[in-house]
Amino acid sequence: MGIFNRISNNIKAGVNKIMDANEDTEALIDQAIRDKDASLNEAKTKSAVVFGNVKRLEREMNSSIEDMSNWESKIKLAIEKGNDELATKAIAKQKECESTKVALSKSYQAAKITADNLRKSLVELDDDLRDLRSKRDGLIARLKTAEASQQVNEITANVRTKGNSIDLDRLERKIEEKECLAEGLGELKVESLEDEFDALEKTTVSDDLAAYKAKYAKQ
């Protein structure tokens, strides 16, 4: 069963590589599928030797049982013909076949247990491969989404760093300083002669009030 443990470890290592690598995730998943498929084929090839051995032991065991039956018939025939010597030889041969059958039976049972376990492991590996193939597109989508989220978070974190942030309070103070400076410069403006005449032409609120009071006083 060592081959299946090795294959399982290789598969786990391949999945970890996919999650850790900074390479094309789709290509890595496809490579993992190819590697797993190759490992499964290797396991099938090596398991076929075990399966073949089980079949061989089964045939040899059945053959020894058939030989025992044949020697049983010969023993009966020799006894019926009164040939005890020949019957004794046939009995010895039957016992040899029986010993062979017992040994083959033990080997067959042990080999069959191993073969059954191998067959179960092959089915599990095949199911794992089918599952990986069916989840391929979903895995790729999840990995690409994770990568995109990571990139967005990195950009956001970079924008929010102190070196890239905008000090709005400091900017507002600078604007206020410029506005105050502009107002102060306006106060320093010297009126021209034309400005003085323009001021004479303008009617103030107090002048209008005085005019209305004079008007109503005459009435």
Side-chain angles (χ1 to χ4, degrees):
M1 302 299 290
I3 181 176
F4 292 99
N5 292 331
R6 179 170 59 80
I7 291 172
S8 178
N9 291 334
N10 289 341
I11 290 170
K12 290 178 182 178
V15 172
N16 291 334
K17 180 182 178 184
I18 291 172
M19 300 305 294
D20 295 337
N22 293 321
E23 302 175 45
D24 181 58
T25 54
E26 185 172 356
L28 286 170
I29 290 177
D30 289 340
Q31 183 61 49
I33 291 174
R34 287 192 294 271
D35 292 343
K36 193 168 187 178
D37 190 45
S39 297
L40 179 59
N41 289 332
E42 179 187 1
K44 286 180 178 178
T45 301
K46 294 186 176 182
S47 297
V49 176
V50 177
F51 298 151
N53 188 48
V54 170
K55 291 295 183 182
R56 179 184 61 80
L57 289 171
E58 184 178 18
R59 284 196 300 269
E60 291 179 356
M61 182 181 65
N62 291 334
S63 178
S64 64
I65 293 173
E66 185 178 348
D67 289 341
M68 287 176 59
S69 179
N70 290 336
W71 285 113
E72 179 75 25
S73 299
K74 290 178 180 180
I75 292 169
K76 182 181 179 183
L77 177 62
I79 291 174
E80 287 175 350
K81 297 298 182 179
N83 192 335
D84 291 346
E85 183 181 358
L86 193 58
T88 301
K89 290 180 180 179
I91 291 172
K93 285 292 185 182
Q94 187 193 46
K95 288 186 177 297
E96 288 179 9
C97 291
E98 184 178 5
S99 297
T100 301
K101 189 267 293 183
V102 171
L104 288 171
S105 179
K106 290 180 180 179
S107 298
Y108 169 75
Q109 293 300 328
K112 190 173 184 303
I113 292 174
T114 301
D116 290 342
N117 289 333
L118 287 174
R119 190 175 287 104
K120 181 180 178 182
S121 297
L122 285 174
V123 171
E124 291 174 353
L125 282 175
D126 192 54
D127 290 342
D128 288 343
L129 180 58
R130 233 186 342 260
D131 185 57
L132 181 56
R133 281 174 172 159
S134 66
K135 291 180 178 179
R136 172 188 176 278
D137 293 341
L139 286 171
I140 292 172
R142 287 173 59 191
L143 285 168
K144 288 187 175 180
T145 299
E147 290 173 353
S149 297
Q150 180 181 355
Q151 291 173 358
V152 170
N153 289 335
E154 288 175 353
I155 293 172
T156 303
N158 186 49
V159 169
R160 289 177 177 175
T161 57
K162 186 175 182 180
N164 291 329
S165 62
I166 299 174
D167 191 343
L168 294 178
D169 292 338
R170 183 168 174 270
L171 181 62
E172 187 175 1
R173 285 195 300 271
K174 280 186 170 293
I175 293 174
E176 288 177 352
E177 289 174 1
K178 289 183 179 295
E179 289 174 343
C180 291
L181 179 60
E183 291 178 2
L185 292 174
E187 294 293 333
L188 297 176
K189 180 181 178 181
V190 178
E191 292 185 354
S192 64
L193 185 61
E194 292 182 356
D195 292 334
E196 293 179 1
F197 277 102
D198 288 340
L200 291 175
E201 293 177 356
K202 291 180 180 179
T203 303
T204 64
V205 176
S206 58
D207 291 339
D208 292 337
L209 179 61
Y212 273 105
K213 285 183 177 181
K215 175 181 177 182
Y216 292 126
K218 294 178 180 180
Q219 293 179 353

